[in-house]
Amino acid sequence: MNYDRIKEKLEILADAAKYDVSCSSSGGNRKNKEKGLGNSSASGICHTYTEDGRCVSLLKILLTNFCIYDCAYCVTRKSNDIQRAAFTVEEVVDLTINFYRRNYIEGLFLSSGIFKNADFTMERLVRVAKKLRLEHNFNGYIHLKTIPGASDDLMREAGLYADRLSVNLEIPTESGLKLLAPDKNHQQMIQPMGFVKNEIIVYKDEKKKFKLVPKFAPAGQSTQLIIGATSETDFQIIKVANHFYNNFNLKRVYYSGYVPVADDARLPALGTQVPMVRENRLYQADWLMRFYGFKADEILEKNNPFLDLEVDPKLGWALRNIHQFPVNIQYDSLEMILRVPGIGVKSAYKIVQTRRFQQLSLEHIKKMGGATNRAKYFITVANTNKYLQYLDSVHLKKVILNETKSKFEKQFSTQMSLLNDTAFLR
């Protein structure tokens, strides 16, 4: 094996893979058996965090950055003058096994440019997963990026060897996709998503009847939306995500702020990058839909189509719906407590459980993990809450922002005083 050439390919194809953010901890539970390698149970993928706070890693690469398509937003498009490379199936398998043995990774995220056609590329992705599972008895996490247009037989085989499958919608709307990638359409991407959804259901039903039925994509499927390459509003983006959550049972929708890769009249000017805070706000809005019971139409409206970059979407909703507050922590429903800014899912459940036994104060809410610097303006507690005097104020947003700012300024001041303390330096 030419190790210098493998290293060069790895540098090229790992760098190209960084634009695909459609991966995270899966929650998969493929178990190690027969003294095999790895275990996807309670482990995740490349430099991300699990729900319990652990940082986990994945070998995240492209099979190739050759591509038959010329999507304006993509660094690997065929007209781009970049160094090209392609792994063989055996090289990806060897890299995965060797990296795993050295404890560098806990699994594999494999995507690819499309060379020749969809089936030709998908067949090689499947062969990688199949070799790892059957020839090397590898039980770690595998995430395959499926190729739109690939046959159902290949898609089915992929689901039998991978923990998670994903296909990127890329641009949120059909009109935006047609502008920047005229050779593609959303139907090409929706078809395999529908197939995976149905196969997951079929295999789960069969599993109830027959013990030895294999798992099919046990960690589900996900997709990615590129934000800011076209002019979609946050409202449109959230509606698209909501549609796919409801109709395709997606585990995750990922949002990737557009990174300028070419000078093209159809694209934002070079150097014009999507603010990280916009991407972050979309993830927060996504969280509200998935865990807090919010509907897309509540988070934003057609006449208010962009998320407020100054405050998180939950606080933004509360400020637009002051008539829903204050929420009585002692008696109101779990659904309303979940809508209080500063109170998360775990804290909300703790409140509902604890209030059966005692009257709750702001101090109790804080001890349960609530961010009372925001929540105190929106709740009624056992004792007098002086902060409710600001609830009807037109300056409430400013009051909350000033307090949050003061909190961080105080922390920064404390840190600086420690650094300047000669005793500390000694």
Side-chain angles (χ1 to χ4, degrees), residues 53 71 240 271 279 286 297 322 350:
C71 307
V240 168
E279 186 179 312
D286 187 277
D297 290 333
I322 291 297
K350 287 179 182 178

Side-chain angles (χ1 to χ4, degrees), residues 334-364:
L334 171 66
E335 289 73 21
M336 279 308 301
I337 293 173
L338 282 168
R339 291 182 173 234
V340 175
I343 294 182
V345 174
K346 289 183 179 179
S347 298
Y349 277 99
K350 287 179 182 178
I351 288 167
V352 171
Q353 291 169 355
T354 307
R355 71 186 184 181
R356 295 184 300 168
F357 307 105
Q358 67 181 106
Q359 296 288 309
L360 300 180
S361 66
L362 283 176
E363 190 59 31
H364 289 130

Side-chain angles (χ1 to χ4, degrees), residues 125-138:
L125 295 175
V126 171
R127 276 173 52 200
V128 169
K130 193 171 182 178
K131 275 180 171 288
L132 284 168
R133 297 295 191 211
L134 301 184
E135 296 181 18
H136 295 272
N137 202 11
F138 180 76

Side-chain angles (χ1 to χ4, degrees), residues 12 108 285 370:
I12 295 169
L108 171 69

Side-chain angles (χ1 to χ4, degrees), residues 27 97 116 186 213 215 232 316 356:
I97 295 300
K116 291 192 177 181
H186 273 169
V213 171
K215 294 179 180 179
E232 288 87 5
R356 295 184 300 168

Side-chain angles (χ1 to χ4, degrees), residues 71-96:
C71 307
Y73 50 81
C74 184
V75 70
T76 63
R77 68 194 183 282
K78 65 181 180 183
S79 63
N80 202 13
D81 184 19
I82 59 171
Q83 189 175 6
R84 304 286 177 172
F87 282 123
T88 65
V89 170
E90 290 72 20
E91 286 171 342
V92 176
V93 171
D94 288 344
L95 279 171
T96 304

Side-chain angles (χ1 to χ4, degrees), residues 2 96 133 149 175 185 190 211 234 259 267 275 317 329 371 379 406:
N2 187 334
T96 304
R133 297 295 191 211
S175 59
N185 64 74
I190 291 171
K211 185 176 181 181
D234 293 341
V259 178
L267 292 167
W317 177 85
I329 287 296
I379 57 176
S406 297

